[in-house]
């Protein structure tokens, strides 16, 4: 692999998507045609269909184990058809959420055994891991207030504060376990200040 794989993570509403778009604009300006932006669950047509099943509002009987299997099914297609070919072509891949989200939401949030998630990670990804993960961290209430105006919450957005607190804790645990890969960004600040910090991190990684 000759490209560079960057993932954006954090609890709802912390501003990942906003910053992923800013990073895309910055990097695409420096490396035209060599940067792609994608997301999980999703990134392929079947992956987007799986996303809809997983996030559809209401009680559809889908539990944490089923969520884990769904996201890894979508991830397999995403890696095979989008991420690996792009990295092999030397591109920079920006992905809005990846496997840290499975550890945080299905592991931390739903209580699925981490060992099972790690096994699926090895099976589906082989040795593929992000080169850099930007973890946007802010109090859960800050993120939820930012998305508060959305009309209809999806299945996960309708979860309790304590669920999102477990998710946040789990993300922070991951950042302590993998400090060389995961950079924690204080996401309670204004979007421009955060974008400045990300530009510095991208520069440190030789990307701009
Ligand atoms: N999920 C999972 O369970 N397991 C997995 O393995 C994976 C995913 C991969 C969909 O993800 C769901 O999938 C997610 C976890 C689950 N759970 N839910 N729900 P998603 O990434 O598509 O959904 P999301 O986290 O809900 O995204 P989001 O709500 O769009 O949040 P965001 O991307 O972090 O924020 P944003 O869209 O950039 O900004 C939100 C609002 O805040 C918007 O109005 C902005 O203009 C505003 N904003 C942004 N930055 C700022 C700052 N700095 N200050 C003030 N306001 C700001």
């Amino acid at each position: 692999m000759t490209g560079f794989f960057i993932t954006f993570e954090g609890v709802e509403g912390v501003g990942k998507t906003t910053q992923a778009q800013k990073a895309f604009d910055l990097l695409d300006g420096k490396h035209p045609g060599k940067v792609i932006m994608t997301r999980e669950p999703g990134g392929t047509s079947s992956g987007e269909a799986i996303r809809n099943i997983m996030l559809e509002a209401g009680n559809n009987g889908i539990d944490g184990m089923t969520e884990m299997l769904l996201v890894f099914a979508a991830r397999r297609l995403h890696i095979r058809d989008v991420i690996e070919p792009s990295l092999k072509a030397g591109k920079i891949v920006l992905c809005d959420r990846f496997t840290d989200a499975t550890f945080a939401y299905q592991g931390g949030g739903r209580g699925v055994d981490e060992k099972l998630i790690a096994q699926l990670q090895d099976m589906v990804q082989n040795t593929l891991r992000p080169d850099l993960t930007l973890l946007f961290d802010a109090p859960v209430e800050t993120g939820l207030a930012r998305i508060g105006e959305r009309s209809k919450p999806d299945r996960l957005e309708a979860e309790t504060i304590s669920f999102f607190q477990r998710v946040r804790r789990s993300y922070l645990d991951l950042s302590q376990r993998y400090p060389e890969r995961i950079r924690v960004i204080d996401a309670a600040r204004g979007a421009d200040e955060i974008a400045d910090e990300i530009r510095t991190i991208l520069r440190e990684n030789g990307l701009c």
Side-chain angles (χ1 to χ4, degrees), residues 41 50-56 67 70-71 106 155-156:
I50 291 172
R51 177 189 181 92
N52 289 337
I53 293 169
M54 183 168 146
L55 297 182
E56 193 180 17
E67 286 177 359
L70 287 171
V71 292
Q106 282 64 56
R155 255 183 76 250
L156 279 160

Side-chain angles (χ1 to χ4, degrees), residues 11-18 40-41 51 54-55 71 75 96-98 101-102 105-106 146-147 150 154 156-157 187 189-191 194:
V11 293
E12 333 304 309
V14 283
K16 299 175 281 48
T17 310
T18 303
E40 289 210 351
R51 177 189 181 92
M54 183 168 146
L55 297 182
V71 292
R75 188 163 295 140
D96 195 341
R97 296 195 185 280
F98 195 61
T102 317
Y105 281 79
Q106 282 64 56
R146 286 181 188 166
I147 60 166
R150 279 183 201 164
D154 65 35
L156 279 160
E157 285 170 350
R189 298 169 296 164
I194 297 169

Side-chain angles (χ1 to χ4, degrees), residues 65-136:
M65 175 81 80
T66 314
E67 286 177 359
M68 174 189 71
L69 294 168
L70 287 171
V71 292
F72 271 109
R75 188 163 295 140
R76 166 172 164 71
L77 298 172
H78 194 202
I79 290 170
R80 187 193 67 186
D81 294 350
V82 178
I83 297 175
E84 280 189 348
S86 301
L87 292 174
K88 278 188 182 132
K91 295 189 179 178
I92 301 169
V93 176
L94 307 183
C95 191
D96 195 341
R97 296 195 185 280
F98 195 61
T99 307
D100 292 320
T102 317
F103 282 102
Y105 281 79
Q106 282 64 56
R110 298 279 192 231
V112 173
D113 186 347
E114 242 191 44
K115 289 196 202 88
L116 286 179
I117 302 174
Q119 279 171 5
L120 279 175
Q121 174 176 241
D122 290 344
M123 186 173 100
V124 169
Q125 296 172 218
N126 196 1
T127 58
L128 177 71
R129 300 291 184 273
D131 295 298
L132 171 68
T133 295
L134 302 174
L135 171 56
F136 295 83

